[in-house]
Amino acid sequence: MESELVVDVHPKEITIAVLEDKKLVELQKEAQDASCAVGNIYLGRVKKLMPALNAAFVDVGHKKDAFLHYLDLGVEFNSILYFQKQLEDKKRIPQIAKLKLQPDIEKGGSISDVLKVGQEVLVQIAKEPISTKGPRLTAEISFAGRFMILIPFIDRVSVSQKIKSREERARLRQLVQSIKPKNYGVIMRTNSEDKRVAELDAELKLLVKRWEDAREKLMKAKAPSLIYEETGRTVALLRDIFSPSFEQIHVNDKDVCKQIAEYVSVIAPGRENIVKLYSGGLPVLDNFGITKQIKSLFGRTVMFKNGAYLIIEHTEALHVIDVNSGNRNKSTLGQEDNAFEVNSAAAEEIARQLRLRDMGGIIVIDFIDMSNGEHRNKLVSKMQEFMAKDRAKHNILPLSKFGLMQITRQRVRPEMEVTTSEECPTCFGKGKIKSSILFTDTLEGKIDYLSHKLKVKKFVLHIHPYVAAYVQQGLFSLKYKWRSKYGVAFKVIPDQSLGFLQYQFYDKDGNEIDLKEEIEMK
């Protein structure tokens, strides 16, 4: 299986798409000014204690106070509080290796026993703000790498349960125990299996350095303030999914491309050449067929095989997916075998949709009824197989007697929602538009306005591919005539993300020139 990563960088947003055999399986969108990302560490201030919930609300600078439960304080919380007291002495920087670790907090204790209103506390984002909820916090500070997770203030080593070899687990535990600094805990991830000492030692030193940098910033910080910012979404995604099957990483921005290449050189020396700067004429997502897949995959109805389709509904409490066979009159299979074939194909598409939309919580799937017990068991096995590549924690229950399958899936970020319908770019939802045959006159008016009023002589015009083909057809095309008539130099870019009568102008530096239709209507 060939895997590719495509990164589309814009001034306001970064879009990251993961392709497997040219099929879109993961999509992440992140605002450039995004705050409260999972992994960020803050010095927060306790705003309110909630004894009934055994939790506290903490101000970390977000518009909504973050939620911190007693069970998320971590057993080492007393050691962290002791460390914060040592920081009050500004003359020396306390070293964790020389710190005396404090006793673990009580498992059944009360939040009021360890925190008080106004107290400063070191916390990390465990779950991004979702809907009306603020961020979810943990006080168990950790730094994630490709092979391991570093946890200050705990002096122990754990190994992922997914590493089955007893000898390899013992080797990793003994190896890391010998190279890690005192009073640091380490969790060995599945990717650490069979890795050499040099690779593990290099990453361990990198993670310790991140903590030391955060510690120095903490000495000067006043709550609420950001102490450590998690690696960018692009690099974080790479850290979790990078494997030998990755063939290409395409990026349309020089700085981000350099950042990714540097990271790949660290985690996979010699493979940084797979990171390539995209400089084609088409938008990068259009070039790799991603825009079209997004339009077809994020709607309420999703087609998947021979006319079969899914209906996906979202409610406040859960997600419901209905499987429909559609028009399959030509099928030579019997009703039972036909239902199993459709359900099997649906299971594969549903596993893809869960990853793609990052759907979390409770998902209820209404498969086509099957009476054969063997088919029902096979369907559950297939769903488990298809979801094996899903990194989010999930649990799949067997089919109920009503043919319903229930899945729970962990979510730490807001669910991905993409609007597949398009607002009319001419009437803005009012229902009346100018004749489409006059659209080229509108474009010409905008170019005239740019040239004579704004004195812009070089720009890029993004329009729908059908309109772009019309504007550029022939030896003496409309594009040629406009360039000659108005003395401008511009490129026409076919953009699949735009509506049929929609347009966008960009200057030579890539900044959008805002020319709304209302300007012309005045």
Side-chain angles (χ1 to χ4, degrees):
M1 180 178 63
E2 180 183 345
S3 298
E4 293 178 279
L5 189 75
V6 179
V7 184
D8 183 21
V9 182
H10 285 283
K12 295 182 179 179
E13 186 178 64
I14 295 179
T15 301
I16 303 161
V18 180
L19 303 177
E20 291 180 357
D21 293 332
K22 305 299 180 183
K23 292 177 66 176
L24 181 65
V25 295
E26 287 191 40
L27 184 70
Q28 300 280 356
K29 288 178 179 285
E30 181 181 25
Q32 291 278 41
D33 59 348
S35 62
C36 286
V38 171
N40 284 2
I41 298 174
Y42 291 84
L43 180 63
R45 187 181 302 279
V46 178
K47 291 293 290 293
K48 185 188 293 185
L49 296 179
M50 303 291 289
L53 299 175
N54 204 15
F57 285 100
V58 181
D59 178 15
V60 294
H62 191 260
K63 59 183 179 181
K64 286 187 175 292
D65 290 339
F67 183 80
L68 176 64
H69 194 274
Y70 181 86
L71 296 177
D72 294 322
L73 293 177
V75 295
E76 73 279 17
F77 188 65
N78 285 332
S79 296
I80 294 178
L81 292 180
Y82 179 70
F83 177 77
Q84 286 184 247
K85 287 184 179 179
Q86 303 301 308
L87 288 175
E88 295 174 3
D89 183 1
K90 303 294 184 180
K91 295 181 181 179
R92 64 185 185 88
I93 302 176
Q95 304 291 326
I96 287 187
K98 299 179 181 179
L99 195 72
K100 181 182 178 182
L101 296 184
Q102 302 300 299
D104 294 350
I105 65 171
E106 296 180 15
K107 290 184 179 180
S110 170
I111 195 78
S112 304
D113 296 335
V114 290
L115 292 178
K116 60 182 179 181
V117 175
Q119 180 178 345
E120 292 186 351
V121 58
L122 191 64
V123 290
Q124 188 167 28
I125 304 294
K127 199 173 186 178
E128 286 183 3
I130 296 175
S131 185
T132 58
K133 300 175 182 177
R136 180 73 182 258
L137 300 177
T138 176
E140 190 171 46
I141 306 302
S142 63
F143 297 84
R146 176 159 166 74
F147 305 129
M148 65 187 73
I149 298 172
L150 181 74
I151 306 176
F153 307 105
I154 294 181
D155 201 356
R156 65 168 179 260
V157 176
S158 303
V159 181
S160 168
Q161 296 294 328
K162 292 183 180 180
I163 299 178
K164 301 300 182 185
S165 170
R166 186 175 298 178
E167 293 77 10
E168 177 62 12
R169 291 170 61 85
R171 181 189 78 91
L172 288 172
R173 186 176 284 106
Q174 185 177 2
L175 190 157
V176 175
Q177 193 72 52
S178 65
I179 62 174
K180 79 171 187 67
K182 185 182 177 184
N183 293 341
Y184 285 91
V186 176
I187 300 174
M188 303 305 297
R189 306 182 75 174
T190 311
N191 287 333
S192 65
E193 190 171 9
D194 298 326
K195 291 296 181 290
R196 295 179 291 110
V197 181
E199 294 178 89
L200 300 178
D201 186 51
E203 181 167 274
L204 179 61
K205 289 178 178 177
L206 179 66
L207 297 178
V208 171
K209 178 68 166 57
R210 287 182 186 174
W211 160 251
E212 291 175 347
D213 291 342
R215 179 195 59 193
E216 291 182 11
K217 195 171 181 180
L218 181 61
M219 291 189 67
K220 305 172 185 177
K222 292 183 179 180
S225 61
L226 177 65
I227 301 301
Y228 167 78
E229 189 167 12
E230 173 63 304
T231 311
R233 180 70 59 87
T234 314
V235 173
L237 189 63
L238 265 180
R239 179 187 66 204
D240 293 335
I241 69 172
F242 188 87
S243 70
S245 64
F246 253 70
E247 297 294 333
Q248 305 284 345
I249 300 175
H250 303 278
V251 192
N252 66 344
D253 181 270
K254 287 184 178 179
D255 294 335
V256 177
C257 184
K258 182 180 178 182
Q259 179 187 4
I260 294 175
E262 289 176 350
Y263 185 74
V264 172
S265 68
V266 172
I267 64 175
R271 298 214 61 203
E272 54 271 20
N273 61 327
I274 67 173
V275 184
K276 297 181 179 179
L277 178 65
Y278 175 79
S279 56
L282 291 173
V284 65
L285 296 183
D286 289 8
N287 185 71
F288 292 95
I290 296 170
T291 304
K292 189 174 182 179
Q293 291 191 60
I294 291 173
K295 293 286 186 183
S296 65
L297 292 172
F298 277 89
R300 177 176 176 267
T301 302
V302 179
M303 309 295 294
F304 62 91
K305 186 178 182 181
N306 297 335
Y309 60 94
L310 305 174
I311 301 291
I312 302 177
E313 296 280 5
H314 307 281
T315 72
E316 185 68 25
L318 48 79
H319 307 278
V320 181
I321 303 176
D322 184 34
V323 179
N324 295 275
S325 60
N327 182 13
R328 290 173 57 88
N329 296 330
K330 296 181 180 180
S331 175
T332 58
L333 300 174
Q335 181 178 351
E336 178 71 21
D337 290 335
N338 181 62
F340 177 67
E341 184 184 80
V342 173
N343 285 339
S344 297
E348 183 175 10
E349 182 60 33
I350 289 168
R352 177 189 181 193
Q353 287 287 333
L354 296 185
R355 288 177 64 190
L356 188 59
R357 303 186 188 211
D358 199 14
M359 293 164 64
I362 300 173
I363 300 105
V364 178
I365 306 167
D366 183 10
F367 284 106
I368 299 172
D369 290 342
M370 297 181 297
S371 57
N372 188 316
E374 185 180 354
H375 282 168
R376 294 163 67 92
N377 293 333
K378 279 185 178 180
L379 181 60
V380 175
S381 298
K382 280 183 175 290
M383 179 59 81
Q384 292 170 340
E385 177 188 341
F386 294 138
M387 290 196 67
K389 292 181 288 187
D390 195 335
R391 299 189 310 279
K393 292 180 182 178
H394 58 270
N395 187 32
I396 303 171
L397 297 182
L399 286 169
S400 72
K401 62 180 180 180
F402 299 114
L404 301 177
M405 178 182 288
Q406 298 175 64
I407 298 176
T408 59
R409 186 176 182 274
Q410 182 188 38
R411 181 178 68 190
V412 295
R413 295 187 175 93
E415 179 190 343
M416 177 64 64
E417 291 186 5
V418 176
T419 302
T420 56
S421 59
E422 297 173 351
E423 183 183 76
C424 174
T426 307
C427 75
F428 301 100
K430 296 175 182 176
K432 292 183 179 180
I433 66 172
K434 291 182 178 180
S435 173
S436 57
I437 198 68
L438 300 177
F439 181 58
T440 54
D441 294 344
T442 299
L443 290 179
E444 184 175 358
K446 300 298 180 185
I447 293 172
D448 183 13
Y449 182 79
L450 279 173
S451 175
H452 293 106
K453 296 289 185 180
L454 301 183
K455 305 299 181 184
V456 177
K457 297 299 183 181
K458 288 186 178 182
F459 56 87
V460 178
L461 171 61
H462 285 236
I463 47 180
H464 190 277
Y466 293 169
V467 181
Y470 177 74
V471 166
Q472 298 183 101
Q473 70 173 349
L475 183 61
F476 295 101
S477 63
L478 285 174
K479 175 185 173 182
Y480 173 82
K481 292 176 183 176
W482 293 341
R483 292 178 71 165
S484 302
K485 183 176 180 179
Y486 299 105
V488 293
F490 69 94
K491 290 174 63 178
V492 173
I493 303 294
D495 195 330
Q496 295 177 12
S497 66
L498 298 180
F500 185 62
L501 300 181
Q502 201 171 0
Y503 56 85
Q504 290 177 345
F505 287 91
Y506 293 88
D507 62 21
K508 60 182 179 179
D509 297 320
N511 300 311
E512 184 177 356
I513 305 171
D514 191 4
L515 294 177
K516 299 294 184 185
E517 185 66 20
E518 286 85 352
I519 294 175
E520 189 185 71
M521 300 289 284
K522 290 181 179 178

